[in-house]
Amino acid sequence: MARLALKQLSDFGDFTNGTELSEIIKVTSNELHDSLSNIRLSPDGRHVHVILRGPAVGLVTLDKYERPPLAQNQKKLDLRLTRTVPIVDVLYLEHRSSGGDTAAVVYENGKAEFWKFQECKAGWRLLQTSDLCNSPRAKVVSVCACSNLIIWCEERAPSESTPALSSPKNKLRYCVCRRDFEVEDGAVSLGGVKIALHNNPKFTVVSSGEFVHLLPDVKGKPLVSIAKCFLSWSPRHDSFTVSATCKSTPLKKLSAHESDLKRLVTDCVGYLSTLEPPEICAFSPTACGGLLLLLDTGWVCLLQKDGTLRRVYKLADNCSAVRGAPISLCMYQDIIAVLFGQNLHLIDVNCGRKLEKMALKEEGLLYENRAERGAPHLLLETGLFAVVSRETGSRDCSSVLKQSGVSVESIHPGALLVEAVFEEACKYYQQRSLSSTQLTVDALKKGGRFQAPTSLASILRNYLSTGPRQKGAELAQNGGAGCASGVGQDKLTGSLEAELKALVSLEEVKGSLVRGSAKEVLAVCESLVEKEVARLLSASELDKDALRYLNSLFSVFPGQLWRAAQAALQLHCNGDGSLSSGAPPDVWKTVLSPAGSPSSPTCFSFTNGGPKHNHSLKGDYNANCTAKPTSASPPAALPVFEILCHSVFHFQPSWLPRFLELAQHQQQQHGSASLGLGLASSSSSSSSSWAFSGGRGGEAGDNVPLYKRALCVLSGLDPDRDRRQDLEVELMLVSGRPNAILQALRMLMAKRRWERVTQVAQKFCKQSPLLNKEIFTTLLCEVIHHRDLDPYLDLLWSLCPEELTVTTILNLVLKNLPSSNTPSSSFSASHSATTSRAPFADSHSAELTVGLLKPLLKKVLQRETKPSQRYADILHSPSFPPPPPPRHPAQPPRSISDPSRAFGDAQATDQQSSTNTTVHTACVAPPTDPV
């Protein structure tokens, strides 16, 4: 039984020209189908303006007088016979004085007439006529009033050099302008014209609160990709928000200092060209600065003032299929009214539940009455009406519907779940269908061809009616008895038990989110995010949809996701500062999954959360409020490892190197990839500069080292260059890769942190001979150019590899000596007072001397000339060669009868051979000490 009804407030008899309004609507309805969209009502409901579009242009006004006898001699605002230029719109201007309503009639040629209504005097009185536009050739296409501003979109006049009308450049010949105004007693003062936006397509400007929404032309599909977006402009904060009807979050937020639309969205054009956003069929401003949108897909959406586009309700009828039918929508506190044709839908904005559907006898127009904001008001051909309670006559529809038991708390989850089954089935079948016909829930229910959603809905309905415990008891009692169909249905129900429980619990969570307070909602979100993160990380493999879902969790709930990740990975900070994890290998396998192809973007600028680990609910709220992308680059799914690096950096920046170390340990332990320390194995990496993107630097897309992926995240996050470089150095050192270590060493030397340089050299020279040689060679070249390393020379000389010779060192020094034209770096002032000078060095000189190298050369020479047992007999050899052995005649071989003699002959022969070899070797002069 219907709980609401229409109550007639007026039959236009108490309005001037009331009898003409029905005739005007009927005549224009026959000639122009959307004639109701040309009717404007004042906020107090006392004035009705009808804009005549054709064949005769003009304006007809109906006024309601508090004292009807005064209406006989008042002046009417009738501009049918005196105007030939089409009227764009009628604006009701706000002003401080309460001397009557003020309206502005704006024409296409830029003229604006300001009228004032005074009931006790002459009715409507013309205050003044002004030119809004600077150019007389400009054409106004839409206009609105926001606070003390008049804002309009005008079409620039084409010039001789303008390209053809069909070219995309000609579609961007519009601009959005603004002028300040102030209504005084006898006139309206206007400020100068300011261009807010130019090089834009045709926009419809809509005022809502302190925001102005710029919507693309709804009469035709945009021909350029830049017209696929719409903008929300805040004149107070001087900022723009770029959004699209197919995305729930803004594409970009930026300052309004740049007025060229092409420059504002230059980094979104390529992304917009790939989108096919639904068209906007109807719109209506809300009192809180938002905007109601009805898309051609049938979805009623609410654009909130923060830029979030929320889907509220989907009409059964496809709006694109019935294009041209009158559509009107308006918001009344927490109820959305949609008048589609002759059907009035009342929808709860909080949960999207249709509260009531009323069938009207005629088409009409929804409007808002300032005195009764909670009741839907309609203008029909027969008069003005309001939606009231059928029993009590109350006009507060929200309270009436809640008292009648249709509140959010009393909605049974079964009905919603059954509808959700059919909606999900529509999406599934639509993807598999080759037909272009749009499937609807009604088609699935009535067609009879799709039995799966019907069966599943029946099972779900039965499950909800009996309950899981009762169903289990019935299964135990039935056992194997019953017909085959009953047994099959019980088997099916048993196999779906887990998923049915999940569906029911999900619906319960939705209900708790709608009913709960702010703290309860935060607690539910905390629990949900923790469960979802644990579920996703425990999956054997994440597909694109799951990865995109995890990214959305990170962007919306950064604080909750950080704590959920800590719980899923079981992270613990040990006493020595390292991190440990108790997570199973499958979780780490998901975390360390490859970053994807080299072409996939992995670096994005986010500023979610803050660099603190805050467990308080208030801290989470603040972190989530600031967790907005600073750039509206095309959204791409970050891999799991990159997401965790984001979280670690924002909430515990000092953990980032330790987290990388832990991840590399898990990677080596579980055999995901090898992190060998050989120089040759990583020679493909860049040693002079790091390309912070997956797949560059020689590695394939699936084999990008973890430290490079962490560096990629870091390079797009921290605006503080010094802190970012410190973290980059630590990440490179933690990686253990030779080229990364050398790069970190060079970065430390560039920052002149010599003590840290020597610590790194001393630590990593012990790991590999090749790395030891590279580090020593690098430091020796640095010593050649300046004297800042003098206090650490003893330590550096101790790192000299054994394979280096004096010749190699001297050649290296001579090769890297700075030329006389190259200015050498000055000696550090801090060192000049505290550091003792090396021998033979001038106190004001930064050049390398032999005295600086003497300890190194002496050490190497001592190592080269160290006595060896191999050459010990050289020191005792005679000055002359030994005499040749005596020659004996050849003797036939004989048998060895005397072993001692045979052994003596062999020993003599060996000694002679050894003597000859020693003499030959002694011919090479040993090196002498030149110092």
Side-chain angles (χ1 to χ4, degrees):
M1 181 179 177
R3 293 165 294 275
L4 302 176
L6 289 182
K7 178 182 179 181
Q8 188 170 18
L9 304 178
S10 172
D11 60 353
F12 298 126
D14 51 349
F15 282 80
T16 59
N17 295 344
T19 56
E20 296 184 44
L21 181 60
S22 300
E23 297 297 330
I24 293 174
I25 294 178
K26 290 180 181 179
V27 172
T28 54
S29 297
N30 296 331
E31 300 171 355
L32 196 63
H33 197 64
D34 59 347
S35 62
L36 292 172
S37 63
N38 297 322
I39 299 177
R40 305 289 184 267
L41 284 93
S42 62
D44 56 2
R46 295 179 56 193
H47 309 285
V48 180
H49 300 280
V50 182
I51 303 175
L52 303 179
R53 304 291 186 186
V57 297
L59 180 70
V60 177
T61 301
L62 287 80
D63 303 313
K64 181 179 180 180
Y65 288 81
E66 295 180 358
R67 291 177 290 177
L70 293 176
Q72 300 176 1
N73 300 322
Q74 303 304 320
K75 182 177 180 181
K76 305 174 184 177
L77 182 54
D78 193 340
L79 305 179
R80 279 180 288 186
L81 303 178
T82 59
R83 301 295 184 269
T84 58
V85 181
I87 296 175
V88 178
D89 210 339
V90 178
L91 308 178
Y92 302 99
L93 305 181
E94 299 178 0
H95 54 90
R96 298 178 182 177
S97 62
S98 58
D101 297 328
T102 303
V105 182
V106 182
Y107 296 86
E108 279 190 0
N109 60 1
K111 298 284 185 180
E113 294 179 353
F114 296 93
W115 295 78
K116 190 169 186 178
F117 179 81
Q118 291 178 325
E119 181 176 348
C120 59
K121 294 184 180 180
W124 286 103
R125 180 170 63 92
L126 179 63
L127 297 180
Q128 68 186 54
T129 302
S130 304
D131 290 322
L132 287 181
C133 308
N134 284 334
S135 173
R137 302 175 61 192
K139 177 182 177 182
V140 178
V141 294
S142 63
V143 64
C144 71
C146 177
S147 185
N148 64 332
L149 296 174
I150 295 180
I151 301 165
W152 70 94
C153 178
E154 68 177 39
E155 180 183 3
R156 293 177 176 177
S159 60
E160 296 180 357
S161 59
T162 302
L165 292 177
S166 59
S167 66
K169 290 184 179 180
N170 209 292
K171 302 296 180 182
L172 305 178
R173 65 181 186 273
Y174 297 85
C175 65
V176 178
C177 306
R178 53 176 282 186
R179 292 187 75 169
D180 298 335
F181 74 88
E182 184 176 356
V183 180
E184 300 173 351
D185 292 337
V188 177
S189 60
L190 294 174
V193 178
K194 297 180 181 179
I195 297 180
L197 201 64
H198 66 280
N199 283 336
N200 54 272
K202 184 179 180 181
F203 277 141
T204 300
V205 292
V206 184
S207 173
S208 177
E210 62 179 19
F211 289 88
V212 177
H213 303 283
L214 311 179
L215 305 181
D217 187 15
V218 299
K219 295 182 179 179
K221 193 172 183 180
L223 300 178
V224 290
S225 59
I226 200 174
K228 294 183 179 181
C229 63
F230 63 91
L231 284 75
S232 298
W233 172 36
S234 174
R236 179 181 176 185
H237 298 93
D238 201 24
S239 62
F240 281 112
T241 300
V242 184
S243 307
T245 55
C246 57
K247 295 297 177 182
S248 59
T249 55
L251 300 180
K252 192 175 184 181
K253 288 186 177 182
L254 66 165
S255 173
H257 296 303
E258 177 60 58
S259 61
D260 190 347
L261 179 65
K262 292 191 292 186
R263 293 184 180 179
L264 287 177
V265 298
T266 183
D267 54 348
C268 302
V269 173
Y271 178 62
L272 289 172
S273 62
T274 63
L275 299 179
E276 290 297 334
E279 295 182 24
I280 300 174
C281 295
F283 56 84
S284 174
T286 63
C288 58
L291 192 68
L292 280 178
L293 298 175
L294 178 61
L295 307 181
D296 62 355
T297 56
W299 275 104
V300 178
C301 302
L302 175 61
L303 178 67
Q304 300 174 354
K305 62 180 180 180
D306 61 352
T308 303
L309 186 66
R310 182 167 68 89
R311 289 182 173 182
V312 179
Y313 180 77
K314 190 176 189 303
L315 297 176
D317 298 324
N318 194 343
C319 297
S320 61
V322 287
R323 185 182 299 275
I327 304 174
S328 178
L329 67 161
C330 192
M331 188 169 177
Y332 304 94
Q333 293 181 351
D334 57 351
I335 292 180
I336 297 176
V338 181
L339 183 57
F340 190 67
Q342 296 182 1
N343 294 320
L344 176 62
H345 304 266
L346 300 180
I347 305 161
D348 191 331
V349 71
N350 295 316
C351 63
R353 175 71 175 173
K354 184 171 69 174
L355 303 176
E356 188 82 9
K357 181 179 180 181
M358 303 175 62
L360 307 181
K361 297 180 180 180
E362 50 188 310
E363 299 172 351
L365 175 70
L366 289 167
Y367 71 95
E368 183 182 12
N369 192 309
R370 183 185 296 170
E372 299 175 348
R373 296 184 181 274
H377 284 67
L378 296 93
L379 182 145
L380 306 178
E381 293 182 10
T382 55
L384 300 179
F385 294 83
V387 178
V388 298
S389 171
R390 183 180 294 273
E391 297 178 357
T392 63
S394 173
R395 299 184 186 180
D396 190 356
C397 295
S398 178
S399 60
V400 170
L401 292 173
K402 288 182 180 180
Q403 291 173 4
S404 61
V406 195
S407 61
V408 176
E409 289 81 357
S410 64
I411 295 176
H412 197 274
L416 298 179
L417 286 175
V418 170
E419 291 297 319
V421 169
F422 283 100
E423 289 179 3
E424 195 68 26
C426 280
K427 297 179 184 177
Y428 176 75
Y429 289 131
Q430 191 67 47
Q431 291 176 354
R432 296 172 59 90
S433 176
L434 299 178
S435 174
S436 59
T437 305
Q438 184 72 26
L439 285 174
T440 61
V441 173
D442 293 337
L444 286 181
K445 290 180 178 179
K446 299 177 182 177
R449 296 176 298 165
F450 304 99
Q451 295 299 322
T454 305
S455 302
L456 182 58
S458 176
I459 292 173
L460 185 59
R461 193 181 295 109
N462 186 28
Y463 177 82
L464 292 171
S465 61
T466 57
R469 294 183 181 179
Q470 184 177 352
K471 177 58 65 178
E474 289 180 2
L475 288 175
Q477 291 177 4
N478 292 340
C483 61
S485 60
V487 174
Q489 185 175 1
D490 293 341
K491 242 170 135 183
L492 181 61
T493 307
S495 62
L496 294 175
E497 181 82 15
E499 299 205 11
L500 291 173
K501 285 183 179 179
L503 283 173
V504 173
S505 61
L506 178 61
E507 205 59 38
E508 291 175 352
V509 168
K510 290 180 181 179
S512 62
L513 288 176
V514 174
R515 295 188 301 266
S517 62
K519 289 186 177 180
E520 292 173 347
V521 169
L522 286 176
V524 171
C525 291
E526 182 91 22
S527 175
L528 273 179
V529 172
E530 184 175 350
K531 292 179 181 178
E532 287 297 280
V533 170
R535 179 183 66 84
L536 292 172
L537 295 184
S538 301
S540 58
E541 183 178 357
L542 289 182
D543 55 7
K544 292 182 179 179
D545 293 336
L547 196 58
R548 198 174 293 112
Y549 172 52
L550 185 61
N551 277 259
S552 66
L553 287 178
F554 166 65
S555 62
V556 178
F557 305 105
Q560 289 85 345
L561 185 136
W562 163 240
R563 288 190 292 277
Q566 283 183 282
L569 296 177
Q570 302 177 28
L571 293 179
H572 302 285
C573 188
N574 302 324
D576 57 352
S578 62
L579 290 179
S580 61
S581 171
D586 293 340
V587 174
W588 277 104
K589 181 181 178 182
T590 304
V591 171
L592 303 177
S593 56
S597 61
S599 60
S600 62
T602 57
C603 295
F604 297 98
S605 179
F606 284 82
T607 57
N608 301 10
K612 293 182 181 179
H613 192 179
N614 196 335
H615 289 277
S616 66
L617 293 174
K618 183 177 179 180
D620 284 341
Y621 176 77
N622 295 334
N624 294 341
C625 288
T626 57
K628 304 297 179 185
T630 58
S631 167
S633 301
L638 290 173
V640 182
F641 179 74
E642 277 75 359
I643 293 177
L644 294 180
C645 286
H646 273 271
S647 295
V648 172
F649 174 78
H650 286 304
F651 295 97
Q652 286 288 356
S654 60
W655 282 20
L656 190 56
R658 289 178 276 177
F659 177 72
L660 174 62
E661 187 177 13
L662 175 63
Q664 290 182 154
H665 175 72
Q666 296 291 333
Q667 195 178 49
Q668 289 178 340
Q669 184 177 1
H670 302 302
S672 299
S674 176
L675 295 178
L677 297 179
L679 186 63
S681 65
S682 62
S683 60
S684 59
S685 302
S686 172
S687 60
S688 60
S689 63
W690 296 104
F692 299 133
S693 59
R696 297 183 184 180
E699 290 89 352
D702 292 345
N703 296 324
V704 180
L706 292 179
Y707 83 94
K708 281 194 175 182
R709 295 170 62 180
L711 287 172
C712 173
V713 173
L714 184 61
S715 64
L717 285 178
D718 197 353
D720 188 355
R721 187 171 181 269
D722 293 335
R723 187 175 74 154
R724 186 180 72 243
Q725 285 188 348
D726 291 341
L727 282 176
E728 286 177 355
V729 168
E730 295 302 322
L731 291 176
M732 293 178 188
L733 295 178
V734 165
S735 71
R737 298 216 169 199
N739 280 337
I741 295 171
L742 292 175
Q743 178 68 9
L745 195 67
R746 293 188 184 96
M747 292 176 67
L748 290 173
M749 291 190 298
K751 299 179 72 172
R752 311 182 74 82
R753 297 176 56 184
W754 306 117
E755 185 175 359
R756 180 62 175 151
V757 167
T758 55
Q759 292 175 357
V760 171
Q762 192 175 12
K763 176 181 178 181
F764 290 98
C765 280
K766 302 175 183 178
Q767 294 189 2
S768 167
L770 290 178
L771 186 58
N772 184 11
K773 182 178 179 181
E774 290 290 333
I775 292 176
F776 179 79
T777 304
T778 302
L779 294 179
L780 181 59
C781 294
E782 195 71 16
V783 171
I784 295 170
H785 289 85
H786 57 79
R787 301 285 295 277
D788 292 347
L789 281 170
D790 282 7
Y792 311 99
L793 288 181
D794 293 339
L795 175 61
L796 297 184
W797 301 155
S798 66
L799 302 179
C800 179
E802 294 185 0
E803 62 269 19
L804 286 186
T805 63
V806 172
T807 306
T808 306
I809 293 174
L810 291 176
N811 287 335
L812 185 64
V813 171
L814 294 174
K815 183 178 179 181
N816 290 276
L817 277 176
S819 61
S820 58
N821 298 329
T822 304
S824 58
S825 59
S826 61
F827 186 70
S828 173
S830 61
H831 291 169
S832 61
T834 59
T835 305
S836 60
R837 300 296 174 185
F840 309 106
D842 186 7
S843 60
H844 300 287
S845 174
E847 297 181 358
L848 182 67
T849 62
V850 177
L852 290 174
L853 293 177
K854 183 176 180 180
L856 174 64
L857 298 176
K858 186 176 181 179
K859 175 184 177 181
V860 176
L861 284 172
Q862 288 177 354
R863 188 168 57 207
E864 292 181 1
T865 58
K866 185 178 180 180
S868 174
Q869 288 299 115
R870 180 179 179 185
Y871 303 107
D873 53 351
I874 297 178
L875 301 177
H876 306 285
S877 62
S879 302
F880 300 96
R887 297 186 179 183
H888 299 282
Q891 297 179 357
R894 58 184 177 178
S895 60
I896 302 177
S897 57
D898 190 356
S900 61
R901 182 185 177 114
F903 177 78
D905 292 342
Q907 186 176 8
T909 305
D910 291 341
Q911 184 178 1
Q912 179 182 356
S913 175
S914 174
T915 304
N916 293 337
T917 305
T918 302
V919 170
H920 179 73
T921 307
C923 293
V924 181
T928 58
D929 189 354
V931 181

